[in-house]
């Protein structure tokens, strides 16, 4: 246990990582011709869909006098501010009209930009790239494209089902993330007769390895003490079940389960909304049990139960965290949490110094715990 735990240094006023893609909201919350507000990393956004259905994300402040653009109107693929009617291209943010100008006033309208963000849709979610805060462009800079495409749920066949779940968590993104990859809370928080009970607790040993900007729980055969995995093994009819779990900065946990030609895959993100508030989004894709009626409903039910148990736990935990108690991280059960803080620190340092990314893991590690 370290004396000066990064947990105390970083919470509740948690640092947020800029320069990454984040899930802003589920695609079905964006309607054509309507503007919708969202918040990412304490940045207010006005999101919408143009008449061709393409999603866009603007900073929710007019570059003229700061009126939220979400109070304005979407006309085709232009957003008109409700205060003085300036219009902006919804995708680039470029100003297209200033109604107050008279014919001989030479202000170059097209040199003005509303803040805009790269925006892509993946697996029923709208993703927004939140860049590092650059030098203030004072409303005269065009947004550069994102350096990489938005992440997506890994898929291993053409036909599959997709479902998602989302829950608000009243805690910083750090507590959300380390709660997500905490292996020791399972028997206490996620009890259910069909999953596992406290008495099923036993010693586990898992191998981890560094991957770029993250770590991987190496492919393994899942624990035998849960009913769904037993069912999976029966379904697999002799094929071995393997699970791989990755965590990658800034906030992504992906889990891939493969059984012969069948697979189940999920990408869970914990998104900072403000410093003290985050949201967990679980998106799953699978081709397993596709012939079972109500399988998606059943899966959603199971997932919703887990997420609700985590949400309730974190709500209670946030009560305890209000008055800055001393916290500690122990080996080996909290080692993934330590790696997370190490990765985050390395990322911030790389951004500050422009140097290499110093990965906190030097090689494969075996962790042991009881759960
Ligand atoms: S504040 Fe938007 S047009 Fe003036
Ligand atoms: Fe959990």
């Amino acid at each position: 246990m370290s004396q000066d735990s990064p947990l105390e240094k970083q919470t509740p006023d948690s640092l947020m990582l800029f320069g990454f893609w984040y899930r802003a909201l589920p695609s079905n919350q964006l309607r054509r011709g309507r503007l919708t507000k969202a918040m990412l990393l304490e940045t207010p956004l006005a999101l919408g869909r143009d008449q061709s259905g393409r999603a866009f994300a603007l900073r929710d402040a007019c570059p003229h006098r700061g009126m939220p653009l979400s109070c304005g109107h979407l006309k085709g693929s232009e957003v008109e501010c409700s205060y003085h009617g300036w219009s902006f291209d919804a995708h680039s943010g470029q100003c297209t009209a200033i109604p107050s100008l008279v014919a001989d006033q030479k202000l170059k309208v097209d040199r003005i930009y509303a803040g805009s963000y790269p925006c892509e849709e993946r697996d029923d979610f709208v993703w927004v790239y939140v860049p590092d805060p650059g030098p203030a462009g004072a409303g005269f800079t065009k947004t550069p494209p994102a350096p990489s495409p938005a992440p997506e749920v890994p898929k291993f066949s053409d036909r599959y089902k997709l479902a998602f779940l989302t829950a608000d968590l009243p805690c910083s993104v750090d507590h959300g993330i380390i709660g997500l990859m905490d292996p020791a809370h399972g028997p206490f928080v996620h009890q259910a007769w069909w999953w596992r009970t406290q008495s099923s607790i036993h010693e586990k040993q898992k191998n981890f390895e560094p991957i770029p900007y993250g770590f991987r729980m190496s492919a393994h055969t899942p624990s035998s003490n849960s009913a769904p995995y037993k069912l999976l093994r029966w379904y697999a009819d002799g094929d071995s079940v393997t699970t791989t779990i990755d965590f990658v900065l800034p906030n992504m946990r992906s889990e891939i389960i493969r059984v012969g030609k069948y697979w189940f895959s999920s990408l869970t993100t914990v998104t900072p909304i403000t410093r003290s508030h985050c949201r967990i989004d679980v998106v799953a894709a699978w081709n397993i049990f596709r012939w079972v009626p109500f399988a998606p409903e059943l899966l959603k039910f199971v997932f919703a139960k887990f997420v609700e148990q985590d949400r309730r736990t974190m709500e209670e935990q946030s009560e305890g965290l209000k008055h800055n108690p001393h916290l500690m991280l122990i080996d080996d059960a909290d080692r993934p949490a330590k790696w997370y803080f190490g990765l985050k620190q390395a990322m911030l340092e790389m951004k500050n110094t422009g140097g290499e990314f110093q990965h906190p893991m030097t090689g494969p590690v075996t962790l042991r715990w009881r759960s």
Side-chain angles (χ1 to χ4, degrees), residues 61-69 80-88 97-99:
C62 178
H64 179 216
R65 300 244 303 275
M67 178 60 101
L69 289 174
E80 185 189 84
C81 180
S82 62
Y83 203 169
H84 312 95
W86 293 21
S87 284
F88 306 93
I98 296 182

Side-chain angles (χ1 to χ4, degrees), residues 50-309:
D50 66 17
Q51 78 272 53
S52 70
R54 218 178 119 215
F56 61 84
L58 295 169
R59 194 183 170 99
D60 199 12
C62 178
H64 179 216
R65 300 244 303 275
M67 178 60 101
L69 289 174
S70 58
C71 298
H73 308 283
L74 180 56
K75 296 181 167 171
S77 60
E78 291 188 3
V79 174
E80 185 189 84
C81 180
S82 62
Y83 203 169
H84 312 95
W86 293 21
S87 284
F88 306 93
D89 179 273
H91 296 284
S92 69
Q94 188 169 35
C95 187
T96 52
I98 296 182
S100 66
L101 291 175
V102 300
D104 62 344
Q105 287 171 338
K106 292 285 177 261
L107 180 66
K108 291 204 177 73
V109 167
D110 56 2
R111 288 188 54 231
I112 296 170
Y113 284 89
S116 95
Y117 298 86
C119 181
E120 289 176 14
E121 282 185 80
R122 291 276 186 287
D123 308 316
D124 292 346
F125 263 83
V126 179
W127 290 72
V128 170
Y129 181 80
V130 186
D132 284 304
F140 295 102
T141 38
K142 188 177 155 90
T143 300
S148 59
E152 64 182 299
V153 182
K155 299 164 198 95
F156 305 93
S157 58
D158 293 337
R159 289 161 63 90
Y160 56 85
K161 301 240 182 218
L162 193 77
F164 71 86
L165 260 183
T166 164
D168 286 306
L169 303 177
C171 62
S172 74
V173 67
D174 289 340
H175 276 294
I177 285 176
I178 67 176
L180 182 72
M181 54 197 185
D182 165 12
H185 74 289
F188 302 92
V189 173
H190 302 302
Q191 288 183 49
W193 63 265
W194 43 266
W195 182 250
R196 62 176 103 192
T197 57
Q198 257 186 47
S199 60
S200 73
I201 195 164
H202 67 273
E203 184 169 328
K204 284 176 191 155
Q205 175 170 322
K206 299 273 159 68
N207 299 318
F208 292 80
E209 57 191 291
I211 55 175
Y213 305 126
F215 55 86
R216 166 169 297 165
M217 186 193 282
S218 318
H220 64 281
T221 304
S223 70
S224 53
N225 59 355
S226 68
Y229 281 130
K230 284 182 190 150
L231 185 66
L232 210 61
R233 206 162 301 143
W234 167 79
Y235 184 73
D237 195 24
D239 275 326
S240 67
V241 184
T242 59
T243 302
T244 308
I245 300 174
D246 286 358
F247 174 80
V248 176
L249 285 177
N251 66 347
M252 294 186 284
R253 178 194 193 270
S254 64
E255 176 162 7
I256 297 165
I257 302 170
R258 301 196 70 166
V259 197
K261 65 180 176 177
Y262 297 106
W263 56 272
F264 175 91
S265 163
S266 66
L267 179 63
T268 302
T269 52
V270 181
T271 302
I273 308 301
T274 67
R275 276 158 201 275
S276 58
H277 196 120
C278 61
R279 195 190 61 239
I280 181 167
D281 300 310
V282 186
V283 181
W286 65 91
N287 76 342
I288 206 161
F289 301 126
R290 274 203 312 134
W291 48 270
V292 180
F294 307 114
E297 287 76 12
L298 196 69
L299 255 165
K300 247 189 124 138
F301 170 79
V302 170
F303 255 30
K305 196 136 185 151
F306 276 134
V307 172
E308 174 53 23
Q309 286 165 338

